[in-house]
Amino acid sequence: MNRREFLAATGATLLATACRNTAPPLPPGELLGQDATLGHKLRDGSMPPPTEEKRVPVLIAGGGIAGLSAAWWLQRNGFSDFLLLEGEREAGGNSRSGKNAVSAYPWAAHYLPIPGVEAEYTRLLLAELGVIKGDPRAPKPEYEERYLCAAPAERLFIHGRWQEGLTPQHGVPSSERAEFARFDELIRGWRARKGRDGKRAFALPMALSSRDPDILALDRISMHDWLMSHNLKSPAVHWYANYACRDDYGTNHKEASAWAGLHYFCARTGEASNAEHETVLTWPEGNGWLATRLQEKVAPHIRTGHWVWRIGTDNGRAWADVYLAQENRSVRYHAERLIWAGPMFLLPYVWTDAPEAVRHSARAFTHAPWLIANLTLSAHPASDGGAEMAWDNVLYNSPGLGYINATHQNLQVRKGPTVFTYYRALSDRPPSAARADLLAADYTSLARQVMADLTPAHADLPQLVTRCDIWRWGHAMVRPTVGFVHGAARQQLASAGKAPILLAHADLSGLSIFEEAQYRGVMAAQAVLRRG
Amino acid sequence: MRFALLVSVFVVASCGLAYELIAAAQSSYLLGDSITQFSTVIGVYLFAMGVGSWLSKYITRDLPARFIEIEVMVGVLGGFSASGLFLAYASSAAPFKVILYGLVMLIGILVGLEIPLVMRLLEGEIRFKDLVSQVLSFDYLGALAVSLLFPLVLAPRLGMARTALLFGLLNIAVAIWSWTLFRTKVSRPRYLLALCLGSAVLLLGGFAGADKLTHLAEHQLYQDEMILAETTPYQRIVVTRWKDDYRLFLNGNLQFSSRDEYRYHEALVHPGLASLPWARKVAVLGGGDGLAVREILKYPNIQSVTLVDLDPAMTRLFRDAPILRRLNQDSLHSPKVKVIEADAFKWLDTHPEETFDFIVVDFPDPTNYALGKLYTNLFYRLLERHLVAQGRAIIQSTSPLYARKAFWTVVTTVESVGLNAAPYHVLVPSFGEWGYILVGRDSKEKLAAPPASIPVPTRFITPELWPALFTFPADMSRVPAEVNRLDNQQLVRMFESEWRQVIR
Ligand SMILES: Cc1cc2nc3c(=O)[nH]c(=O)nc-3n(C[C@H](O)[C@H](O)[C@H](O)COP(=O)(O)OP(=O)(O)OC[C@H]3O[C@@H](n4cnc5c(N)ncnc54)[C@H](O)[C@@H]3O)c2cc1C
């Protein structure tokens, strides 16, 4: 090493430390997530046998968006003889949220696109909650402004700089930008496209999409191969498509099907009379706001800390063995109808004598693991002169997706303390291996990964973070891999719900999003009301 | 002798690294984008050092004297580098980047010359192998010392300008020491000593006056004498004076000049308030300078004024500083005035019970998305809810001449929430043609009707002015515009691009 090298090296470390002031210790925080031991006990059936029997006309197992929506629909239609059992201490599932002195923040789901006319139930709910003003069936309803994502909605950290919007531009060669324009053109074509059955190629809920075989054929190739088949090779275009698949499905674009990938880009065509195209609805606590409003509506019927560990049928009626975590004992419920609103991968363990076809299909569902970190900051990071802080702040070519700024929707001018929700889909390795690593990792190693991913974009972050809480989602989202969405297993299970046991979960759509979860919940509730 | 030179190596190396870091830190402070600034400055510096050590082979005679001269040059250039860069930036005499990289290049070359010269000075004393290892280890030690001291102690305690001057003095100390060692071997010892001492005095003077230097730099920015300056968590507040003209700047943007602020504030208050003889309760949102309040308090019918401002330092300054109190005629001391330190949007949202007969909306211009929120339909909808049935509000809203589309966008936005709007404009010499929007539930015609008289003393506004105020000549007449909403914030972009054309 000569003097110049030495100066270069100290210069470089100083560049890091001048901004970072000698790598400060990791912020304090907690590792959160579902109780793994309970999960295993649930699966191997080693729960205490029931010591009491109870009866209820309708039982809903699982209090995520699907279960809560089933309850909401029952109640909305004048039926209130039901109970909703949720295993965790709080309902909400993947739409749960947290809160501290600085802000409320999401633990997973964080936004809802403006729903199109097809998402009828989503619009009805939004109207009930005052999010839509006036007629919810109008082509372009009016929305309450404070729930529309404020500008600037998105920015991207790319090649050392924040740029506006998610389309990679800063430092991207013009040849790649030209490919981007072609990609946009293709997407515009698919958005408008209808199948031979007259239905839209990609609708939300997905069950209303066209069944035209030419369109369904897209499910048999990956999003990556679809791009290649259109001679789209630009790394920026691939990053973008891959980002979309990771963001919405926790799946990389070599595994996600082109049908699912295109669904993300094409299905969200909802419009508002008072919002720009493609604006989304969001709240500081993300979709936790919707989950909480739903819970308020059916609160007297919810029982938390109730794990349903075995279900079955008996003479046309259903039963469920339920573990009461607080009392460490089990109760057997008898019900006319049971709606299973838990994830499908659990079904074979819980419904052990389900028809063979059901068990077989349920085993074909794979789920992506996710890591979410909520970082509390004593102040907003300093601006680097690039694009201003946005709601969704995405990292180009990074292991994580980026972060959501929880105080973005605040009305005040002042930018004070805030919470960043960092998102990372563990999509680069097979889910089971990634999941095992995630669950085995300790706080320090995970927090270090989170900080390492964010610090290049915000050199002053280590000084600002006062807390970093991490949630590990082992089975977060169903994966719409090639052939899955329009494959036999999913279609089988989506229509397997027959009295007395009905099924409701976003898994049944193969796409983990609010509208799908809600649709499946409402469908199950309608079956109950039809006495079907 | 040997030890002495090795110590100078240590010092020289420290200074070399320090200037590199100071230039990098200063440029990222002034230009933003720290990563780019750091890496380009360091890159140029290293290149210059290479050039320096290559040049060193051309120095063959009178080594000690050359070394002393180089030390003095490094000391002076490096020592004044931080304050010089600041001044250059503030006065924008030449393109700042040219000065920055020129300076970095120059210092880099001189620093690059130092070590090879020391090695050759020592050559006679030590065997070459030992020499290299000793010189280099002292070199590294010096660099290490600075690399630790700089971010932890020097920059935060002394500030950039003083840190640079301190290192400059160290270089001069080395020069003086070398002089005492070599004075018998150099040809013009007196001249060299004078050089050393003169530069030491210069740097010491700079050290003592470092604050003045920064001050001077800010003066360049503001042109006039600064009589008050304060940095708050929200903004940098500066008040300047030139003869009897006092000016307030927030983050470098002119807010008023005492020469013509009466025009701005009379036009802000009287067209609305003169027509509301029954009004009792007024709110002022923004406007912590108390000047709008001064105009409002002229009306004996007003019983209470609620002033909502974000920055407690603003209201404190304008309540306590004697010159400013004279300007607002002690309005913030009036028992009728209640000062609330809050974010106005949030405050309106969380205090639905507070309603007013007249509301003055006097916010900074929508120069960023945060301030842009205060010009959205959601804000005006809240404003509407805080007005009594016959109440009115006045909104200051940029220049209809320089930012024509932006002005009419605000008008369109206000109208979109169901309020009627009567826009008018006034010439305020230090701002140019300025726009206001009088809003209420009365018809536009009623809003724009002149009052029989202005019942309070004014210097500028009289009822005769009405037709001229409310008529927009062709170059600022209404243009079609869209509603500014939180989800699009189109006003911020529009405002920026329109003003960029004006300032250029
Ligand atoms: C990181 C992440 C980000 C996301 N972001 C978005 C987004 O921005 N927008 C969006 O629309 N969607 C998003 N989603 C998708 C989200 O999954 C859906 O919006 C929706 O919350 C799914 O609801 P669900 O009811 O189908 O499933 P879940 O949320 O899985 O609900 C199942 C519920 O059943 C409970 N349960 C399970 N087993 C049992 C048992 N044996 N007994 C009792 N209770 C049981 C669970 O505790 C849980 O509460 C995201 C998901 C993740 C993981």
Side-chain angles (χ1 to χ4, degrees), chain A residues 1-3 6-7 14-15 145-146 149-151 161 164 274-276 279 384 388 410 412-414, chain B residues 17 21 33 38 46 49 115 139-140 143 147 234 343 346 349 369 373 377 381 485-488 493:
Chain A
M1 177 149 99
N2 62 28
R3 182 163 190 226
F6 183 81
L7 278 188
L14 265 160
L15 164 59
E145 258 114 16
R146 63 184 71 211
C149 181
R161 195 176 174 80
E164 281 186 18
N274 61 338
E276 299 293 298
T279 302
D384 69 346
E388 265 185 65
N410 276 6
Q412 65 217 46
V413 170
R414 190 190 154 200
Chain B
L17 182 66
L21 292 173
D33 193 2
F38 255 91
L46 289 176
M49 279 178 54
I115 297 295
D139 185 7
Y140 295 159
S147 65
Y234 308 103
D343 218 299
K346 190 85 181 273
D349 195 33
Y369 289 116
K373 294 179 190 178
N377 58 344
R381 194 166 300 133
R485 296 186 313 256
L486 276 174
D487 76 290
N488 63 19
R493 286 163 208 269

Short mmCIF file of all heavy atoms in Angstrom, two decimals, chain A residues 1-3 6-7 14-15 145-146 149-151 161 164 274-276 279 384 388 410 412-414, chain B residues 17 21 33 38 46 49 115 139-140 143 147 234 343 346 349 369 373 377 381 485-488 493:
data_model
loop_
_atom_site.label_atom_id
_atom_site.label_comp_id
_atom_site.label_asym_id
_atom_site.label_seq_id
_atom_site.Cartn_x
_atom_site.Cartn_y
_atom_site.Cartn_z
N MET A 1 0.85 -1.19 0.00
CA MET A 1 0.00 0.00 0.00
C MET A 1 0.88 1.24 0.00
O MET A 1 1.78 1.38 0.81
CB MET A 1 -0.87 -0.03 1.27
CG MET A 1 -1.74 1.16 1.42
SD MET A 1 -3.26 0.72 2.28
CE MET A 1 -2.92 1.22 3.92
N ASN A 2 0.67 2.13 -0.93
CA ASN A 2 1.42 3.38 -0.87
C ASN A 2 0.54 4.49 -0.30
O ASN A 2 -0.61 4.26 0.08
CB ASN A 2 1.96 3.75 -2.24
CG ASN A 2 0.83 3.98 -3.21
OD1 ASN A 2 -0.26 4.35 -2.80
ND2 ASN A 2 1.08 3.72 -4.48
N ARG A 3 1.10 5.65 -0.28
CA ARG A 3 0.39 6.73 0.39
C ARG A 3 -0.96 7.03 -0.26
O ARG A 3 -1.96 7.27 0.40
CB ARG A 3 1.27 7.98 0.34
CG ARG A 3 0.61 9.11 1.05
CD ARG A 3 1.57 10.19 1.39
NE ARG A 3 0.88 11.09 2.26
CZ ARG A 3 0.91 12.40 2.13
NH1 ARG A 3 1.62 12.94 1.19
NH2 ARG A 3 0.24 13.16 2.96
N PHE A 6 -3.42 4.52 0.64
CA PHE A 6 -3.84 4.69 2.02
C PHE A 6 -4.85 5.83 2.14
O PHE A 6 -5.90 5.69 2.76
CB PHE A 6 -2.63 4.98 2.90
CG PHE A 6 -3.00 5.10 4.35
CD1 PHE A 6 -3.16 3.96 5.12
CD2 PHE A 6 -3.21 6.34 4.92
CE1 PHE A 6 -3.53 4.07 6.44
CE2 PHE A 6 -3.58 6.45 6.25
CZ PHE A 6 -3.74 5.31 7.01
N LEU A 7 -4.53 6.93 1.48
CA LEU A 7 -5.44 8.07 1.54
C LEU A 7 -6.78 7.70 0.92
O LEU A 7 -7.84 8.09 1.41
CB LEU A 7 -4.84 9.27 0.82
CG LEU A 7 -3.85 10.08 1.64
CD1 LEU A 7 -3.48 11.34 0.88
CD2 LEU A 7 -4.42 10.44 2.99
N LEU A 14 -13.83 7.01 5.61
CA LEU A 14 -14.34 8.23 6.21
C LEU A 14 -15.64 8.65 5.57
O LEU A 14 -16.55 9.15 6.21
CB LEU A 14 -13.33 9.34 6.06
CG LEU A 14 -12.49 9.42 7.32
CD1 LEU A 14 -11.22 10.15 7.03
CD2 LEU A 14 -13.28 10.10 8.41
N LEU A 15 -15.70 8.43 4.26
CA LEU A 15 -16.94 8.74 3.57
C LEU A 15 -18.06 8.00 4.28
O LEU A 15 -19.13 8.54 4.51
CB LEU A 15 -16.82 8.29 2.12
CG LEU A 15 -18.11 8.17 1.34
CD1 LEU A 15 -18.81 9.50 1.30
CD2 LEU A 15 -17.84 7.68 -0.07
N GLU A 145 -60.53 12.42 0.08
CA GLU A 145 -59.16 12.73 -0.35
C GLU A 145 -58.07 12.28 0.63
O GLU A 145 -56.98 11.94 0.22
CB GLU A 145 -58.99 14.22 -0.57
CG GLU A 145 -59.02 14.60 -2.00
CD GLU A 145 -60.23 15.42 -2.32
OE1 GLU A 145 -60.85 15.93 -1.38
OE2 GLU A 145 -60.57 15.53 -3.52
N ARG A 146 -58.41 12.29 1.90
CA ARG A 146 -57.29 12.03 2.82
C ARG A 146 -56.84 10.57 2.75
O ARG A 146 -55.79 10.24 3.29
CB ARG A 146 -57.62 12.46 4.23
CG ARG A 146 -58.75 11.73 4.89
CD ARG A 146 -59.02 12.32 6.25
NE ARG A 146 -59.61 13.65 6.16
CZ ARG A 146 -59.42 14.61 7.06
NH1 ARG A 146 -58.66 14.40 8.09
NH2 ARG A 146 -60.03 15.76 6.92
N CYS A 149 -53.58 8.23 -1.82
CA CYS A 149 -52.14 8.42 -1.59
C CYS A 149 -51.71 9.79 -2.13
O CYS A 149 -51.90 10.11 -3.29
CB CYS A 149 -51.36 7.31 -2.27
SG CYS A 149 -49.60 7.47 -2.00
N ALA A 150 -51.11 10.58 -1.25
CA ALA A 150 -50.70 11.94 -1.64
C ALA A 150 -49.46 11.89 -2.52
O ALA A 150 -48.67 10.95 -2.45
CB ALA A 150 -50.42 12.77 -0.39
N ALA A 151 -49.31 12.91 -3.35
CA ALA A 151 -48.11 13.01 -4.19
C ALA A 151 -46.95 13.51 -3.32
O ALA A 151 -47.18 14.29 -2.40
CB ALA A 151 -48.36 13.98 -5.33
N ARG A 161 -28.84 7.55 -6.58
CA ARG A 161 -29.66 8.75 -6.55
C ARG A 161 -31.14 8.42 -6.51
O ARG A 161 -31.57 7.41 -7.07
CB ARG A 161 -29.36 9.52 -7.83
CG ARG A 161 -29.83 10.91 -7.81
CD ARG A 161 -29.43 11.66 -9.06
NE ARG A 161 -30.06 12.96 -8.98
CZ ARG A 161 -29.58 13.95 -8.25
NH1 ARG A 161 -28.46 13.80 -7.59
NH2 ARG A 161 -30.23 15.10 -8.16
N GLU A 164 -37.74 10.40 -9.41
CA GLU A 164 -39.20 10.34 -9.27
C GLU A 164 -39.74 9.13 -10.02
O GLU A 164 -39.22 8.77 -11.07
CB GLU A 164 -39.83 11.60 -9.83
CG GLU A 164 -39.73 12.77 -8.89
CD GLU A 164 -40.48 14.00 -9.37
OE1 GLU A 164 -41.34 13.85 -10.25
OE2 GLU A 164 -40.19 15.08 -8.86
N ASN A 274 -62.13 12.05 -8.65
CA ASN A 274 -61.24 13.07 -8.08
C ASN A 274 -59.86 12.52 -7.76
O ASN A 274 -59.27 12.85 -6.75
CB ASN A 274 -61.87 13.66 -6.81
CG ASN A 274 -62.10 12.61 -5.74
OD1 ASN A 274 -62.19 11.44 -6.05
ND2 ASN A 274 -62.18 13.03 -4.51
N ALA A 275 -59.36 11.63 -8.61
CA ALA A 275 -57.98 11.17 -8.42
C ALA A 275 -57.37 10.85 -9.76
O ALA A 275 -58.06 10.51 -10.71
CB ALA A 275 -57.94 9.94 -7.52
N GLU A 276 -56.04 10.95 -9.79
CA GLU A 276 -55.32 10.59 -11.00
C GLU A 276 -55.46 9.10 -11.24
O GLU A 276 -55.69 8.32 -10.32
CB GLU A 276 -53.82 10.89 -10.81
CG GLU A 276 -53.51 12.34 -10.56
CD GLU A 276 -53.79 13.22 -11.76
OE1 GLU A 276 -53.14 13.00 -12.79
OE2 GLU A 276 -54.65 14.11 -11.66
N THR A 279 -53.91 6.01 -8.89
CA THR A 279 -53.71 6.39 -7.49
C THR A 279 -54.16 5.22 -6.62
O THR A 279 -55.03 4.46 -7.01
CB THR A 279 -54.56 7.64 -7.18
OG1 THR A 279 -54.16 8.67 -8.05
CG2 THR A 279 -54.36 8.10 -5.75
N ASP A 384 -30.99 14.13 -0.25
CA ASP A 384 -29.70 14.09 -0.94
C ASP A 384 -29.74 14.94 -2.20
O ASP A 384 -28.87 14.87 -3.05
CB ASP A 384 -29.31 12.65 -1.28
CG ASP A 384 -30.21 12.06 -2.35
OD1 ASP A 384 -31.28 12.65 -2.61
OD2 ASP A 384 -29.85 11.02 -2.92
N GLU A 388 -37.88 14.16 -3.92
CA GLU A 388 -38.34 14.29 -2.53
C GLU A 388 -38.88 12.97 -1.99
O GLU A 388 -39.34 12.12 -2.75
CB GLU A 388 -39.50 15.31 -2.47
CG GLU A 388 -39.08 16.72 -2.14
CD GLU A 388 -40.30 17.63 -1.98
OE1 GLU A 388 -41.09 17.42 -1.05
OE2 GLU A 388 -40.46 18.55 -2.80
N ASN A 410 -49.85 12.15 6.54
CA ASN A 410 -50.10 13.22 7.52
C ASN A 410 -50.35 14.54 6.79
O ASN A 410 -49.73 14.81 5.78
CB ASN A 410 -48.87 13.44 8.40
CG ASN A 410 -48.85 12.48 9.55
OD1 ASN A 410 -49.71 11.59 9.59
ND2 ASN A 410 -47.91 12.63 10.44
N GLN A 412 -49.74 17.50 8.04
CA GLN A 412 -48.88 18.62 8.41
C GLN A 412 -47.70 18.83 7.47
O GLN A 412 -47.26 17.92 6.77
CB GLN A 412 -48.40 18.48 9.84
CG GLN A 412 -47.52 17.31 10.08
CD GLN A 412 -47.82 16.73 11.44
OE1 GLN A 412 -48.97 16.55 11.81
NE2 GLN A 412 -46.78 16.42 12.19
N VAL A 413 -47.21 20.04 7.51
CA VAL A 413 -46.10 20.45 6.66
C VAL A 413 -44.79 19.92 7.24
O VAL A 413 -43.90 19.49 6.54
CB VAL A 413 -46.04 21.99 6.60
CG1 VAL A 413 -44.77 22.46 5.94
CG2 VAL A 413 -47.26 22.51 5.87
N ARG A 414 -44.72 19.94 8.54
CA ARG A 414 -43.50 19.59 9.22
C ARG A 414 -43.17 18.12 9.02
O ARG A 414 -44.04 17.27 9.11
CB ARG A 414 -43.70 19.85 10.71
CG ARG A 414 -42.45 19.76 11.44
CD ARG A 414 -42.67 19.78 12.92
NE ARG A 414 -41.53 19.07 13.46
CZ ARG A 414 -41.51 18.54 14.65
NH1 ARG A 414 -42.53 18.60 15.43
NH2 ARG A 414 -40.43 17.91 15.05
N LEU B 17 -4.54 14.94 4.51
CA LEU B 17 -5.83 14.25 4.54
C LEU B 17 -6.95 15.20 4.95
O LEU B 17 -8.06 15.15 4.43
CB LEU B 17 -5.76 13.06 5.51
CG LEU B 17 -7.05 12.25 5.58
CD1 LEU B 17 -7.29 11.56 4.24
CD2 LEU B 17 -6.98 11.21 6.68
N LEU B 21 -10.61 16.00 3.11
CA LEU B 21 -11.91 15.78 3.74
C LEU B 21 -12.73 17.06 3.83
O LEU B 21 -13.95 17.06 3.67
CB LEU B 21 -11.71 15.22 5.15
CG LEU B 21 -11.14 13.81 5.17
CD1 LEU B 21 -10.83 13.40 6.59
CD2 LEU B 21 -12.14 12.84 4.55
N ASP B 33 -26.01 15.90 -2.29
CA ASP B 33 -25.57 14.65 -2.93
C ASP B 33 -24.18 14.25 -2.45
O ASP B 33 -23.21 14.20 -3.20
CB ASP B 33 -25.57 14.82 -4.46
CG ASP B 33 -25.45 13.47 -5.16
OD1 ASP B 33 -25.41 12.45 -4.44
OD2 ASP B 33 -25.39 13.46 -6.38
N PHE B 38 -18.25 13.51 -2.36
CA PHE B 38 -17.11 12.88 -1.70
C PHE B 38 -16.24 12.15 -2.71
O PHE B 38 -15.04 12.33 -2.76
CB PHE B 38 -17.59 11.88 -0.63
CG PHE B 38 -17.42 12.39 0.76
CD1 PHE B 38 -18.44 13.09 1.37
CD2 PHE B 38 -16.24 12.19 1.46
CE1 PHE B 38 -18.29 13.57 2.66
CE2 PHE B 38 -16.09 12.67 2.75
CZ PHE B 38 -17.12 13.36 3.35
N LEU B 46 -6.61 12.75 -5.27
CA LEU B 46 -5.60 11.70 -5.41
C LEU B 46 -4.84 11.86 -6.72
O LEU B 46 -3.62 11.69 -6.77
CB LEU B 46 -6.27 10.32 -5.36
CG LEU B 46 -6.78 9.92 -3.98
CD1 LEU B 46 -7.52 8.60 -4.04
CD2 LEU B 46 -5.62 9.81 -3.00
N MET B 49 -2.35 14.60 -6.31
CA MET B 49 -1.19 14.18 -5.53
C MET B 49 -0.21 13.41 -6.38
O MET B 49 1.02 13.55 -6.24
CB MET B 49 -1.64 13.31 -4.35
CG MET B 49 -2.14 14.15 -3.19
SD MET B 49 -2.71 13.12 -1.84
CE MET B 49 -1.31 12.10 -1.58
N ILE B 115 5.85 14.92 0.51
CA ILE B 115 6.51 13.71 1.04
C ILE B 115 7.80 13.36 0.26
O ILE B 115 8.84 13.11 0.89
CB ILE B 115 5.52 12.53 1.11
CG1 ILE B 115 4.39 12.87 2.09
CG2 ILE B 115 6.21 11.23 1.52
CD1 ILE B 115 4.81 13.04 3.53
N ASP B 139 3.73 8.90 8.03
CA ASP B 139 2.73 9.40 7.10
C ASP B 139 1.36 8.78 7.42
O ASP B 139 0.35 9.45 7.60
CB ASP B 139 3.21 9.02 5.69
CG ASP B 139 2.32 9.59 4.61
OD1 ASP B 139 1.43 10.38 4.96
OD2 ASP B 139 2.53 9.25 3.44
N TYR B 140 1.36 7.46 7.55
CA TYR B 140 0.10 6.77 7.82
C TYR B 140 -0.46 7.12 9.18
O TYR B 140 -1.67 7.27 9.37
CB TYR B 140 0.30 5.25 7.72
CG TYR B 140 0.65 4.80 6.32
CD1 TYR B 140 1.28 3.59 6.11
CD2 TYR B 140 0.34 5.60 5.23
CE1 TYR B 140 1.62 3.18 4.83
CE2 TYR B 140 0.68 5.19 3.95
CZ TYR B 140 1.32 3.98 3.75
OH TYR B 140 1.63 3.58 2.50
N ALA B 143 -2.20 10.38 8.98
CA ALA B 143 -3.48 10.26 8.30
C ALA B 143 -4.51 9.60 9.21
O ALA B 143 -5.67 10.00 9.27
CB ALA B 143 -3.31 9.44 7.02
N SER B 147 -8.05 11.00 10.48
CA SER B 147 -9.26 10.31 10.08
C SER B 147 -10.14 10.04 11.30
O SER B 147 -11.34 9.93 11.19
CB SER B 147 -8.93 9.01 9.34
OG SER B 147 -8.28 8.14 10.23
N TYR B 234 -37.28 24.47 11.58
CA TYR B 234 -38.12 24.57 10.39
C TYR B 234 -37.47 25.38 9.28
O TYR B 234 -37.74 25.16 8.12
CB TYR B 234 -39.46 25.22 10.75
CG TYR B 234 -40.12 24.53 11.89
CD1 TYR B 234 -40.11 25.07 13.16
CD2 TYR B 234 -40.72 23.29 11.69
CE1 TYR B 234 -40.70 24.41 14.23
CE2 TYR B 234 -41.30 22.62 12.74
CZ TYR B 234 -41.29 23.18 14.02
OH TYR B 234 -41.85 22.52 15.05
N ASP B 343 -49.03 23.23 13.35
CA ASP B 343 -49.14 23.04 11.91
C ASP B 343 -50.58 23.39 11.54
O ASP B 343 -51.51 22.75 12.04
CB ASP B 343 -48.85 21.58 11.63
CG ASP B 343 -48.07 21.39 10.37
OD1 ASP B 343 -48.60 21.78 9.32
OD2 ASP B 343 -46.95 20.85 10.44
N LYS B 346 -53.11 20.61 10.29
CA LYS B 346 -53.42 19.68 11.36
C LYS B 346 -54.32 20.36 12.40
O LYS B 346 -55.26 19.77 12.91
CB LYS B 346 -52.10 19.24 12.01
CG LYS B 346 -52.17 18.11 12.98
CD LYS B 346 -52.10 16.77 12.30
CE LYS B 346 -52.19 15.62 13.26
NZ LYS B 346 -50.89 15.24 13.81
N ASP B 349 -57.79 20.64 11.27
CA ASP B 349 -58.39 19.31 11.23
C ASP B 349 -58.79 18.83 12.62
O ASP B 349 -59.79 18.14 12.78
CB ASP B 349 -57.39 18.34 10.60
CG ASP B 349 -58.04 17.04 10.18
OD1 ASP B 349 -59.23 17.08 9.79
OD2 ASP B 349 -57.38 15.99 10.22
N TYR B 369 -43.41 19.77 -1.87
CA TYR B 369 -44.64 19.00 -1.67
C TYR B 369 -45.23 19.19 -0.28
O TYR B 369 -46.44 19.14 -0.10
CB TYR B 369 -44.40 17.52 -1.95
CG TYR B 369 -44.19 17.21 -3.41
CD1 TYR B 369 -42.99 16.71 -3.88
CD2 TYR B 369 -45.21 17.43 -4.32
CE1 TYR B 369 -42.79 16.44 -5.23
CE2 TYR B 369 -45.04 17.15 -5.67
CZ TYR B 369 -43.82 16.66 -6.12
OH TYR B 369 -43.65 16.40 -7.44
N LYS B 373 -49.19 20.98 0.22
CA LYS B 373 -50.42 20.46 0.85
C LYS B 373 -51.36 21.59 1.24
O LYS B 373 -52.57 21.42 1.29
CB LYS B 373 -50.07 19.67 2.11
CG LYS B 373 -49.30 18.40 1.88
CD LYS B 373 -49.02 17.75 3.23
CE LYS B 373 -48.03 16.60 3.05
NZ LYS B 373 -47.69 15.98 4.34
N ASN B 377 -57.33 21.11 -2.42
CA ASN B 377 -58.76 21.21 -2.16
C ASN B 377 -59.11 20.72 -0.76
O ASN B 377 -60.03 21.23 -0.14
CB ASN B 377 -59.56 20.47 -3.24
CG ASN B 377 -59.19 19.02 -3.36
OD1 ASN B 377 -58.14 18.60 -2.85
ND2 ASN B 377 -60.02 18.24 -4.01
N ARG B 381 -61.30 22.80 1.82
CA ARG B 381 -62.55 22.26 2.36
C ARG B 381 -62.56 22.45 3.87
O ARG B 381 -63.58 22.81 4.46
CB ARG B 381 -62.66 20.78 1.99
CG ARG B 381 -64.05 20.24 2.20
CD ARG B 381 -64.26 18.90 1.53
NE ARG B 381 -64.05 18.97 0.10
CZ ARG B 381 -63.32 18.09 -0.59
NH1 ARG B 381 -62.74 17.09 0.03
NH2 ARG B 381 -63.19 18.23 -1.89
N ARG B 485 -54.91 18.73 -6.07
CA ARG B 485 -55.27 17.79 -5.02
C ARG B 485 -54.02 17.18 -4.41
O ARG B 485 -52.96 17.18 -5.01
CB ARG B 485 -56.13 16.66 -5.61
CG ARG B 485 -57.46 17.10 -6.15
CD ARG B 485 -58.26 15.87 -6.56
NE ARG B 485 -57.42 14.97 -7.33
CZ ARG B 485 -57.50 14.83 -8.65
NH1 ARG B 485 -58.40 15.50 -9.32
NH2 ARG B 485 -56.70 14.00 -9.28
N LEU B 486 -54.21 16.59 -3.22
CA LEU B 486 -53.08 15.94 -2.56
C LEU B 486 -52.47 14.86 -3.43
O LEU B 486 -51.27 14.64 -3.43
CB LEU B 486 -53.54 15.30 -1.24
CG LEU B 486 -53.60 16.21 -0.03
CD1 LEU B 486 -54.22 15.46 1.14
CD2 LEU B 486 -52.20 16.69 0.34
N ASP B 487 -53.33 14.14 -4.19
CA ASP B 487 -52.78 13.01 -4.93
C ASP B 487 -52.06 13.43 -6.21
O ASP B 487 -51.35 12.63 -6.79
CB ASP B 487 -53.86 11.97 -5.24
CG ASP B 487 -54.77 12.42 -6.36
OD1 ASP B 487 -55.55 13.35 -6.16
OD2 ASP B 487 -54.69 11.84 -7.45
N ASN B 488 -52.25 14.69 -6.66
CA ASN B 488 -51.47 15.07 -7.84
C ASN B 488 -50.47 16.19 -7.54
O ASN B 488 -49.39 16.23 -8.09
CB ASN B 488 -52.36 15.39 -9.04
CG ASN B 488 -53.27 16.59 -8.82
OD1 ASN B 488 -53.04 17.42 -7.93
ND2 ASN B 488 -54.30 16.70 -9.62
N ARG B 493 -45.17 21.53 -9.14
CA ARG B 493 -44.37 21.49 -10.38
C ARG B 493 -44.58 22.74 -11.22
O ARG B 493 -43.66 23.33 -11.76
CB ARG B 493 -44.79 20.31 -11.24
CG ARG B 493 -44.33 19.00 -10.71
CD ARG B 493 -45.16 17.92 -11.39
NE ARG B 493 -45.26 16.77 -10.54
CZ ARG B 493 -44.41 15.76 -10.57
NH1 ARG B 493 -43.42 15.79 -11.42
NH2 ARG B 493 -44.54 14.75 -9.76
#
